[in-house]
Amino acid sequence: MEKRAFDLRAKRNSTVVIRAIPGHFATRHSHVNCCIDMTKVKSQMFTAKAAARLFAESFANVPVETIITLERTKMVGAFLANELSHAGININLDIAVISPEITDEKLILRDNMLPYVKGRHVLLLSATSTTGLTAKSALDGIRYYGGEPVGLATVFGGNFEIPDVPVVKIVSTEDLNDYRSYSPAECPLCKKGVKIDALVNSYGYSKIV
């Protein structure tokens, strides 16, 4: 499976690399014909820092008091907080970076985390957001806890919009001309009898032998 993999590099900074693996994959919400491997962005310092710089360019003049990180993007979030606190309107601001619980696809904040969201300008950071469903649910959670969402930053994003919330993506599904996402019931690969290569979630992928 890995022999089919190829690199996708951010157009504005080639240091930001994600890996794409063509095939048949099952995620929590859908079946996709390409696995997006974020290991480098989530785990390697130089790549995470480069991704943070790209996001900071877009949000330098947006008030950000807290960054909520989803899908194990906390290292990118920490670098992003640092970048934002050194330029623009957030200079010298001690920006909080938190990772909430996600239960039944709902964002949950414990009492000790509430002060970092209630009454604050909150930026949501995710690794992938192809349909926007998870991001929209998280943004609703931020509003529920009294925060004001000021943007969604996603490393790999689909072609969707969110009212009143700017969406910034480093790599787009449009950069993968043949990228497709299907509901499990309507997946044409399943209908053709093509076996699933791997199960995919925010931690990575597990091959089905």
Side-chain angles (χ1 to χ4, degrees), residues 26-59:
T27 73
R28 183 172 52 184
H29 296 298
S30 61
H31 285 198
V32 295
N33 66 346
C34 194
C35 172
I36 305 301
D37 182 2
M38 295 282 182
T39 304
K40 283 189 176 182
V41 176
K42 295 178 180 181
S43 307
Q44 294 188 208
M45 182 183 68
F46 290 156
T47 307
K49 186 179 289 187
R53 287 198 185 107
L54 292 179
F55 286 134
E57 291 173 5
S58 297
F59 292 104

Side-chain angles (χ1 to χ4, degrees), residues 84-93:
L84 291 174
S85 70
H86 282 84
I89 64 174
N90 300 299
I91 194 163
N92 294 326
L93 183 65

Side-chain angles (χ1 to χ4, degrees), residues 87-104:
I89 64 174
N90 300 299
I91 194 163
N92 294 326
L93 183 65
D94 188 11
I95 299 172
V97 181
I98 64 173
S99 296
E101 297 175 51
I102 303 292
T103 302
D104 294 329

